[in-house]
Amino acid sequence: MVAISLANMDSVDFMYQEHHSWLSLYIQRRLSCPEVTADLVQETYLRLLTRGQLPEKKDSRRYLTHIAKGLVIDLYRRRNIEAAYLELLEVEPEKVASSPEYQAIIVEALVEIDALLHRLPNKARQALLMRQLEYMSYKDIAAELKISVSSVEKYVAKALQSCLMVALEDLI
Amino acid sequence: MERISRDAIKQASVWMARLWADDVTEQDKQAFQAWRTVNTDNEFAWQQLEILQQKFNNVPDPQLTRKVLVKSSQTVSRRQFLLLGGVSIGTLGLGLSTRSERPNGDEYVTVTGEMKTLTLSDGTILAMNTATRVYVDFNQYERKLHLLEGEIMVTSSHHVTPFYISTAQGMVVPIGTRFTVQQKTDTTQVKVYEGEVALYPTTGANNKHLLAGEQAQFSREYIAEKSDLQANDALWLEQKILAQETPLTEFIAELARYRRGVLNVDPKLAHLKLTGIFSTQDTDKTLYNISQVLPIEVRYRTPLWVSIKGRQ
């Protein structure tokens, strides 16, 4: 890996030229939507720039694929969340947010939290969300999930550990 | 790059779950304090866990968030979703191309340690400090800057079109002026060097005006008391930082903005104070210089993981 700086912007440029077309195809095959494809290709390079590290030339393809794959999965996850949010709004119309901007902010926050949680088994996920978002006591969580109080503590610990692993992915 | 210990992460999580328990005891708390201070790995893992808390604390509607997140994990599997493809996208107008984290306009980015200056189409000069992301969205009716991360200095030109800067906490409106705006973790900090600036927190009822030589921070709800500026210009423009009887811990936090990786300082060193002007261009050299004037030791576990301790 080489740090990206103004000095090697040429290499980034070159990498873009060289890999742009197959990367588009790679993403396109997984999305079947040309507009979103173009967005994701841009986003892939943007991630590369914000990570600030340029892979060795021989690793470029693998590295770009890795980023792109993550973005495609993120997109599906986001759609999943939007769908769940919409369904909930239908059931609870009083929750309908005042503006599309506010809805977008909510979905964004949901996506961010969801990214931390996606590896968790259901009970651990629920226990953490109850404690973390609604400050429920372990006793109340235990009652709602029909498990023991000591299991709640174990699930919460496990969930925190998993979230932190995801958050620190780059450092572990 | 050295790895962060998985054990420390696991133990930190177990501790946090214990401290949240209904039956947490005084002994638990003391044992936790002992665990936390026994080594830097533990302390680091704990700090990261606290940063994680902020993400959860910042969600707009906690109850709704929980419902949606539980539901979304139970509804359709990934595989089913791949088959459904594109059904829901666009229904809310929330497709990828209109995501809220990407505001309108052109994006400008600086990486950690980089600084650059741009002249915008209306003549406004925009200087970007380290690790900054800003969107410039100008049209015939208004001129908007969205600051997503980092710090900018704006020297605004005289113009009839309304001009403002938005951050996660609210809006900053200049009245013909030169000032900086920094997006911090939970607040926005504004320093005014010339002219006058108005601050509008998103949900706050009050706004406040800052005059040249004044600074203030605000959250989404409140504006903190304003105070006087220490310097008569933003030193980061010259890739320098100023310390005036600044606690070492505070100084290092500032220096860390200009450096990739982890820069830890032992909280016990908070009593040490520093005065002077230091370079942000070569942070290794700056760390070395400080170690010559203060009784500290700079330890490089790796170039990306540096700890500062008291000298033994």
Side-chain angles (χ1 to χ4, degrees), chain B residues 80-123:
Chain B
Q80 281 172 302
F81 219 89
L82 289 170
L83 293 172
L84 288 174
V87 171
S88 75
I89 198 160
T91 26
L92 263 181
L94 293 175
L96 200 78
S97 47
T98 52
R99 284 171 315 161
S100 69
E101 91 230 48
R102 199 160 77 187
N104 290 328
D106 299 323
E107 184 185 41
Y108 294 90
V109 177
T110 54
V111 297
T112 302
E114 188 191 357
M115 202 214 83
K116 73 180 168 199
T117 303
L118 312 163
T119 305
L120 305 178
S121 56
D122 65 339

Short mmCIF file of all heavy atoms in Angstrom, two decimals, chain B residues 80-123:
data_model
loop_
_atom_site.label_atom_id
_atom_site.label_comp_id
_atom_site.label_asym_id
_atom_site.label_seq_id
_atom_site.Cartn_x
_atom_site.Cartn_y
_atom_site.Cartn_z
N GLN B 80 -33.19 -13.55 -1.21
CA GLN B 80 -34.50 -13.13 -1.70
C GLN B 80 -34.43 -11.72 -2.23
O GLN B 80 -35.02 -11.39 -3.24
CB GLN B 80 -35.52 -13.17 -0.56
CG GLN B 80 -36.03 -14.55 -0.25
CD GLN B 80 -36.88 -14.50 1.00
OE1 GLN B 80 -36.41 -14.08 2.05
NE2 GLN B 80 -38.11 -14.92 0.88
N PHE B 81 -33.65 -10.92 -1.51
CA PHE B 81 -33.60 -9.53 -1.89
C PHE B 81 -32.94 -9.33 -3.23
O PHE B 81 -33.34 -8.51 -4.03
CB PHE B 81 -32.90 -8.72 -0.81
CG PHE B 81 -33.58 -7.42 -0.66
CD1 PHE B 81 -34.63 -7.31 0.22
CD2 PHE B 81 -33.26 -6.35 -1.46
CE1 PHE B 81 -35.32 -6.14 0.31
CE2 PHE B 81 -33.95 -5.17 -1.37
CZ PHE B 81 -34.99 -5.07 -0.48
N LEU B 82 -31.92 -10.16 -3.48
CA LEU B 82 -31.24 -10.06 -4.76
C LEU B 82 -32.22 -10.36 -5.89
O LEU B 82 -32.17 -9.77 -6.95
CB LEU B 82 -30.07 -11.06 -4.81
CG LEU B 82 -28.90 -10.68 -3.92
CD1 LEU B 82 -27.91 -11.81 -3.83
CD2 LEU B 82 -28.22 -9.42 -4.44
N LEU B 83 -33.16 -11.27 -5.62
CA LEU B 83 -34.14 -11.60 -6.64
C LEU B 83 -35.13 -10.46 -6.82
O LEU B 83 -35.51 -10.12 -7.93
CB LEU B 83 -34.90 -12.88 -6.24
CG LEU B 83 -34.03 -14.13 -6.23
CD1 LEU B 83 -34.79 -15.30 -5.66
CD2 LEU B 83 -33.55 -14.44 -7.64
N LEU B 84 -35.54 -9.85 -5.72
CA LEU B 84 -36.47 -8.73 -5.82
C LEU B 84 -35.87 -7.56 -6.57
O LEU B 84 -36.58 -6.87 -7.29
CB LEU B 84 -36.87 -8.25 -4.42
CG LEU B 84 -37.79 -9.14 -3.63
CD1 LEU B 84 -37.95 -8.59 -2.22
CD2 LEU B 84 -39.14 -9.24 -4.32
N GLY B 85 -34.59 -7.38 -6.42
CA GLY B 85 -33.84 -6.29 -7.05
C GLY B 85 -34.61 -5.00 -7.24
O GLY B 85 -35.71 -5.01 -7.46
N GLY B 86 -34.14 -3.88 -7.01
CA GLY B 86 -34.77 -2.63 -7.42
C GLY B 86 -36.27 -2.39 -7.23
O GLY B 86 -36.80 -1.50 -7.82
N VAL B 87 -36.96 -3.17 -6.40
CA VAL B 87 -38.38 -2.92 -6.24
C VAL B 87 -38.63 -1.67 -5.41
O VAL B 87 -39.41 -0.80 -5.76
CB VAL B 87 -39.08 -4.13 -5.57
CG1 VAL B 87 -40.52 -3.79 -5.21
CG2 VAL B 87 -39.04 -5.31 -6.51
N SER B 88 -37.91 -1.59 -4.30
CA SER B 88 -38.23 -0.50 -3.39
C SER B 88 -37.44 0.77 -3.69
O SER B 88 -37.80 1.83 -3.24
CB SER B 88 -37.96 -0.92 -1.95
OG SER B 88 -36.57 -0.92 -1.73
N ILE B 89 -36.37 0.62 -4.45
CA ILE B 89 -35.55 1.82 -4.62
C ILE B 89 -36.35 2.89 -5.35
O ILE B 89 -37.11 2.60 -6.25
CB ILE B 89 -34.23 1.51 -5.34
CG1 ILE B 89 -33.27 2.64 -5.09
CG2 ILE B 89 -34.44 1.29 -6.82
CD1 ILE B 89 -31.84 2.26 -5.32
N GLY B 90 -36.20 4.10 -4.91
CA GLY B 90 -36.91 5.18 -5.59
C GLY B 90 -38.30 5.42 -5.03
O GLY B 90 -38.86 6.48 -5.21
N THR B 91 -38.87 4.47 -4.30
CA THR B 91 -40.22 4.67 -3.79
C THR B 91 -40.29 5.89 -2.89
O THR B 91 -41.28 6.61 -2.86
CB THR B 91 -40.73 3.45 -3.00
OG1 THR B 91 -39.59 2.77 -2.48
CG2 THR B 91 -41.52 2.52 -3.88
N LEU B 92 -39.24 6.09 -2.14
CA LEU B 92 -39.22 7.23 -1.22
C LEU B 92 -38.40 8.38 -1.79
O LEU B 92 -38.23 9.39 -1.15
CB LEU B 92 -38.56 6.82 0.10
CG LEU B 92 -39.45 6.41 1.25
CD1 LEU B 92 -38.59 6.08 2.44
CD2 LEU B 92 -40.41 7.53 1.59
N GLY B 93 -37.90 8.16 -2.96
CA GLY B 93 -36.96 9.16 -3.49
C GLY B 93 -35.67 9.12 -2.71
O GLY B 93 -34.97 10.12 -2.57
N LEU B 94 -35.34 7.95 -2.17
CA LEU B 94 -34.13 7.86 -1.34
C LEU B 94 -33.09 7.01 -2.01
O LEU B 94 -32.23 6.44 -1.36
CB LEU B 94 -34.49 7.20 0.00
CG LEU B 94 -35.40 7.99 0.91
CD1 LEU B 94 -35.74 7.16 2.12
CD2 LEU B 94 -34.72 9.28 1.31
N GLY B 95 -33.22 6.86 -3.31
CA GLY B 95 -32.27 6.02 -4.04
C GLY B 95 -30.86 6.54 -3.87
O GLY B 95 -30.63 7.59 -3.28
N LEU B 96 -29.93 5.79 -4.40
CA LEU B 96 -28.54 6.11 -4.15
C LEU B 96 -28.16 7.50 -4.65
O LEU B 96 -27.35 8.19 -4.06
CB LEU B 96 -27.66 5.07 -4.85
CG LEU B 96 -26.28 5.00 -4.28
CD1 LEU B 96 -26.29 4.24 -2.98
CD2 LEU B 96 -25.35 4.36 -5.28
N SER B 97 -28.78 7.91 -5.75
CA SER B 97 -28.34 9.17 -6.33
C SER B 97 -28.85 10.37 -5.55
O SER B 97 -28.43 11.48 -5.79
CB SER B 97 -28.81 9.25 -7.77
OG SER B 97 -30.15 8.87 -7.84
N THR B 98 -29.77 10.16 -4.59
CA THR B 98 -30.26 11.31 -3.83
C THR B 98 -30.02 11.12 -2.33
O THR B 98 -30.76 11.62 -1.51
CB THR B 98 -31.77 11.52 -4.03
OG1 THR B 98 -32.42 10.27 -3.77
CG2 THR B 98 -32.09 11.98 -5.42
N ARG B 99 -28.99 10.35 -2.01
CA ARG B 99 -28.76 10.09 -0.59
C ARG B 99 -28.45 11.36 0.17
O ARG B 99 -27.81 12.26 -0.33
CB ARG B 99 -27.58 9.12 -0.43
CG ARG B 99 -27.99 7.71 -0.76
CD ARG B 99 -26.77 6.88 -0.79
NE ARG B 99 -25.74 7.59 -1.55
CZ ARG B 99 -24.48 7.29 -1.45
NH1 ARG B 99 -24.09 6.36 -0.63
NH2 ARG B 99 -23.60 7.92 -2.16
N SER B 100 -28.91 11.38 1.44
CA SER B 100 -28.77 12.62 2.19
C SER B 100 -27.33 12.88 2.59
O SER B 100 -26.94 14.00 2.81
CB SER B 100 -29.63 12.55 3.45
OG SER B 100 -29.07 11.61 4.33
N GLU B 101 -26.49 11.83 2.68
CA GLU B 101 -25.13 12.10 3.09
C GLU B 101 -24.36 12.76 1.96
O GLU B 101 -23.26 13.22 2.12
CB GLU B 101 -24.42 10.81 3.52
CG GLU B 101 -23.70 10.11 2.41
CD GLU B 101 -24.07 8.66 2.36
OE1 GLU B 101 -25.27 8.35 2.41
OE2 GLU B 101 -23.18 7.82 2.27
N ARG B 102 -24.97 12.74 0.76
CA ARG B 102 -24.32 13.43 -0.33
C ARG B 102 -25.19 14.61 -0.73
O ARG B 102 -26.10 14.48 -1.53
CB ARG B 102 -24.12 12.47 -1.50
CG ARG B 102 -23.08 12.97 -2.45
CD ARG B 102 -22.51 11.89 -3.30
NE ARG B 102 -23.44 11.54 -4.36
CZ ARG B 102 -23.26 10.52 -5.18
NH1 ARG B 102 -22.21 9.75 -5.05
NH2 ARG B 102 -24.12 10.27 -6.11
N PRO B 103 -24.88 15.77 -0.20
CA PRO B 103 -25.71 16.94 -0.51
C PRO B 103 -25.50 17.34 -1.97
O PRO B 103 -24.63 16.80 -2.64
CB PRO B 103 -25.17 18.02 0.43
CG PRO B 103 -24.23 17.34 1.35
CD PRO B 103 -23.78 16.09 0.68
N ASN B 104 -26.28 18.30 -2.42
CA ASN B 104 -26.08 18.81 -3.77
C ASN B 104 -24.75 19.53 -3.88
O ASN B 104 -24.20 19.96 -2.89
CB ASN B 104 -27.20 19.80 -4.12
CG ASN B 104 -28.51 19.08 -4.29
OD1 ASN B 104 -28.53 17.92 -4.73
ND2 ASN B 104 -29.59 19.74 -3.91
N GLY B 105 -24.31 19.68 -5.11
CA GLY B 105 -23.13 20.50 -5.34
C GLY B 105 -21.88 19.67 -5.58
O GLY B 105 -21.92 18.46 -5.67
N ASP B 106 -20.76 20.38 -5.67
CA ASP B 106 -19.48 19.73 -5.96
C ASP B 106 -18.76 19.43 -4.67
O ASP B 106 -18.73 20.24 -3.76
CB ASP B 106 -18.61 20.66 -6.81
CG ASP B 106 -19.29 20.97 -8.13
OD1 ASP B 106 -19.95 20.07 -8.67
OD2 ASP B 106 -19.18 22.13 -8.59
N GLU B 107 -18.16 18.24 -4.64
CA GLU B 107 -17.48 17.83 -3.42
C GLU B 107 -16.00 18.19 -3.48
O GLU B 107 -15.35 18.02 -4.50
CB GLU B 107 -17.62 16.32 -3.26
CG GLU B 107 -17.03 15.82 -1.96
CD GLU B 107 -17.07 14.30 -1.88
OE1 GLU B 107 -16.78 13.65 -2.89
OE2 GLU B 107 -17.37 13.80 -0.79
N TYR B 108 -15.48 18.70 -2.37
CA TYR B 108 -14.05 18.95 -2.26
C TYR B 108 -13.54 18.25 -1.01
O TYR B 108 -14.17 18.30 0.03
CB TYR B 108 -13.76 20.45 -2.18
CG TYR B 108 -14.12 21.17 -3.45
CD1 TYR B 108 -15.39 21.70 -3.63
CD2 TYR B 108 -13.19 21.28 -4.47
CE1 TYR B 108 -15.74 22.34 -4.82
CE2 TYR B 108 -13.52 21.91 -5.66
CZ TYR B 108 -14.80 22.44 -5.83
OH TYR B 108 -15.13 23.05 -7.00
N VAL B 109 -12.39 17.58 -1.14
CA VAL B 109 -11.88 16.75 -0.06
C VAL B 109 -10.40 17.04 0.18
O VAL B 109 -9.65 17.24 -0.78
CB VAL B 109 -12.03 15.24 -0.43
CG1 VAL B 109 -11.44 14.36 0.65
CG2 VAL B 109 -13.48 14.89 -0.66
N THR B 110 -9.98 17.09 1.44
CA THR B 110 -8.56 17.02 1.73
C THR B 110 -8.31 15.78 2.58
O THR B 110 -9.16 15.41 3.38
CB THR B 110 -8.04 18.25 2.53
OG1 THR B 110 -8.83 18.39 3.70
CG2 THR B 110 -8.10 19.51 1.73
N VAL B 111 -7.18 15.12 2.37
CA VAL B 111 -6.85 13.95 3.18
C VAL B 111 -6.14 14.42 4.45
O VAL B 111 -5.80 15.60 4.59
CB VAL B 111 -5.98 12.94 2.41
CG1 VAL B 111 -6.74 12.41 1.22
CG2 VAL B 111 -4.67 13.56 1.99
N THR B 112 -5.92 13.50 5.39
CA THR B 112 -5.26 13.85 6.64
C THR B 112 -3.89 14.45 6.37
O THR B 112 -3.10 13.88 5.63
CB THR B 112 -5.13 12.60 7.52
OG1 THR B 112 -6.43 12.09 7.73
CG2 THR B 112 -4.48 12.92 8.86
N GLY B 113 -3.64 15.61 6.96
CA GLY B 113 -2.34 16.27 6.79
C GLY B 113 -2.30 17.23 5.62
O GLY B 113 -1.37 18.01 5.48
N GLU B 114 -3.33 17.20 4.77
CA GLU B 114 -3.32 18.08 3.59
C GLU B 114 -4.06 19.39 3.90
O GLU B 114 -4.94 19.43 4.75
CB GLU B 114 -4.03 17.38 2.42
CG GLU B 114 -3.91 18.12 1.11
CD GLU B 114 -4.83 17.56 0.02
OE1 GLU B 114 -5.53 16.56 0.27
OE2 GLU B 114 -4.86 18.14 -1.06
N MET B 115 -3.65 20.47 3.22
CA MET B 115 -4.37 21.73 3.34
C MET B 115 -4.45 22.33 1.97
O MET B 115 -3.48 22.25 1.22
CB MET B 115 -3.60 22.66 4.27
CG MET B 115 -4.46 23.73 4.89
SD MET B 115 -3.54 25.24 5.11
CE MET B 115 -3.66 25.97 3.52
N LYS B 116 -5.61 22.87 1.57
CA LYS B 116 -5.62 23.54 0.28
C LYS B 116 -6.59 24.72 0.25
O LYS B 116 -7.49 24.80 1.07
CB LYS B 116 -5.89 22.55 -0.86
CG LYS B 116 -7.29 22.04 -0.98
CD LYS B 116 -7.35 21.07 -2.17
CE LYS B 116 -8.65 20.28 -2.16
NZ LYS B 116 -8.58 19.08 -2.98
N THR B 117 -6.35 25.61 -0.69
CA THR B 117 -7.15 26.82 -0.80
C THR B 117 -7.77 26.89 -2.19
O THR B 117 -7.09 26.66 -3.18
CB THR B 117 -6.27 28.06 -0.56
OG1 THR B 117 -5.67 27.91 0.72
CG2 THR B 117 -7.09 29.32 -0.56
N LEU B 118 -9.06 27.21 -2.24
CA LEU B 118 -9.75 27.32 -3.51
C LEU B 118 -10.39 28.71 -3.62
O LEU B 118 -10.77 29.28 -2.61
CB LEU B 118 -10.92 26.33 -3.59
CG LEU B 118 -10.71 24.88 -3.22
CD1 LEU B 118 -12.05 24.22 -2.98
CD2 LEU B 118 -9.96 24.19 -4.34
N THR B 119 -10.52 29.20 -4.84
CA THR B 119 -11.33 30.40 -5.05
C THR B 119 -12.62 29.96 -5.73
O THR B 119 -12.58 29.33 -6.78
CB THR B 119 -10.58 31.42 -5.91
OG1 THR B 119 -9.33 31.68 -5.28
CG2 THR B 119 -11.35 32.71 -6.02
N LEU B 120 -13.74 30.23 -5.10
CA LEU B 120 -15.02 29.78 -5.65
C LEU B 120 -15.53 30.74 -6.72
O LEU B 120 -15.00 31.84 -6.87
CB LEU B 120 -16.04 29.64 -4.50
CG LEU B 120 -15.58 28.72 -3.37
CD1 LEU B 120 -16.62 28.68 -2.25
CD2 LEU B 120 -15.31 27.31 -3.89
N SER B 121 -16.56 30.31 -7.42
CA SER B 121 -17.01 31.06 -8.61
C SER B 121 -17.43 32.50 -8.28
O SER B 121 -17.36 33.37 -9.12
CB SER B 121 -18.16 30.32 -9.28
OG SER B 121 -19.20 30.13 -8.34
N ASP B 122 -17.85 32.77 -7.04
CA ASP B 122 -18.27 34.12 -6.69
C ASP B 122 -17.13 34.95 -6.11
O ASP B 122 -17.34 36.07 -5.66
CB ASP B 122 -19.39 34.05 -5.65
CG ASP B 122 -18.89 33.46 -4.34
OD1 ASP B 122 -17.86 32.77 -4.37
OD2 ASP B 122 -19.51 33.70 -3.29
N GLY B 123 -15.93 34.37 -6.09
CA GLY B 123 -14.78 35.11 -5.56
C GLY B 123 -14.49 34.79 -4.11
O GLY B 123 -13.46 35.19 -3.57
#
